[in-house]
Amino acid sequence: GPTHLETGLSLMEIGSLLATKGDIASALKKYMASLAIMEENLGRQHAGLCDVLDRTAEMLHTAKQLRECLPYYTRSLAIKERALGPEDASLLDICNNMVQVYVELQDFKTALAMIARVYAISRKCLGEDHAETVAAKKKLTVLQSKA
């Protein structure tokens, strides 16, 4: 039916296809519809929402709707933190995405705090010499000069 969980998942996949074709506006509509159905079926704090929250945030970010994308990233991050803990390596992508948004907004203080977190998680989970840790350290140094 139109509100079945599988319908929500299908809408998310259609959104992904539209995003791949560069149709951001249509992709966003599908992601929003998917999110509404998935929330109805799973509740607002279920970990199963993170994928569609992240995709929605990424589309809004791509469309340069920077302030609009942050609540989706923030909500997804909070759900993931509750499910996995605050220092899990799977948080790195969303945190890095949020750093980029804050940099684009020229909110260097918030970007600095977030990249410091990325660096700490990377060091703990991936090691000092991992490429992601090295990249986070470089970005941390750059943002320290701007904040």
Side-chain angles (χ1 to χ4, degrees):
T3 60
H4 191 275
L5 181 60
E6 290 298 321
T7 302
L9 293 169
S10 295
L11 286 169
M12 182 173 63
E13 293 309 317
I14 292 168
S16 294
L17 291 171
L18 291 165
T20 301
K21 293 177 70 174
D23 189 349
I24 294 169
S26 296
L28 272 170
K29 287 179 186 176
K30 297 299 181 190
Y31 288 149
M32 296 290 193
S34 171
L35 179 60
I37 292 168
M38 292 173 71
E39 285 176 332
E40 182 179 320
N41 283 274
L42 302 173
R44 288 190 44 82
Q45 299 302 317
H46 193 278
L49 298 176
C50 290
D51 196 15
V52 72
L53 287 167
D54 292 342
R55 291 179 193 203
T56 302
E58 289 166 9
M59 281 298 97
L60 289 166
H61 187 182
T62 299
K64 298 298 182 195
Q65 296 179 33
L66 302 176
R67 295 204 186 282
E68 292 83 356
C69 75
L70 282 171
Y72 293 94
Y73 279 138
T74 302
R75 184 169 160 209
S76 180
L77 180 61
I79 292 169
K80 289 177 183 178
E81 286 172 329
R82 276 193 299 280
L84 305 169
E87 297 179 339
D88 192 86
S90 65
L91 303 177
L92 291 171
D93 284 342
I94 194 167
C95 289
N96 272 314
N97 290 342
M98 291 175 77
V99 168
Q100 187 59 40
V101 172
Y102 288 122
V103 166
E104 290 176 39
L105 288 169
Q106 297 187 355
D107 182 353
F108 299 116
K109 183 178 177 183
T110 307
L112 178 61
M114 187 63 73
I115 197 63
R117 180 177 183 190
V118 168
Y119 180 57
I121 294 170
S122 295
R123 282 183 54 207
K124 180 179 178 183
C125 297
L126 305 175
E128 192 72 40
D129 296 329
H130 190 278
E132 192 155 342
T133 307
V134 172
K137 186 175 183 179
K138 286 179 185 176
K139 196 176 278 189
L140 179 64
T141 302
V142 169
L143 286 172
Q144 283 171 332
S145 69
K146 292 183 178 189

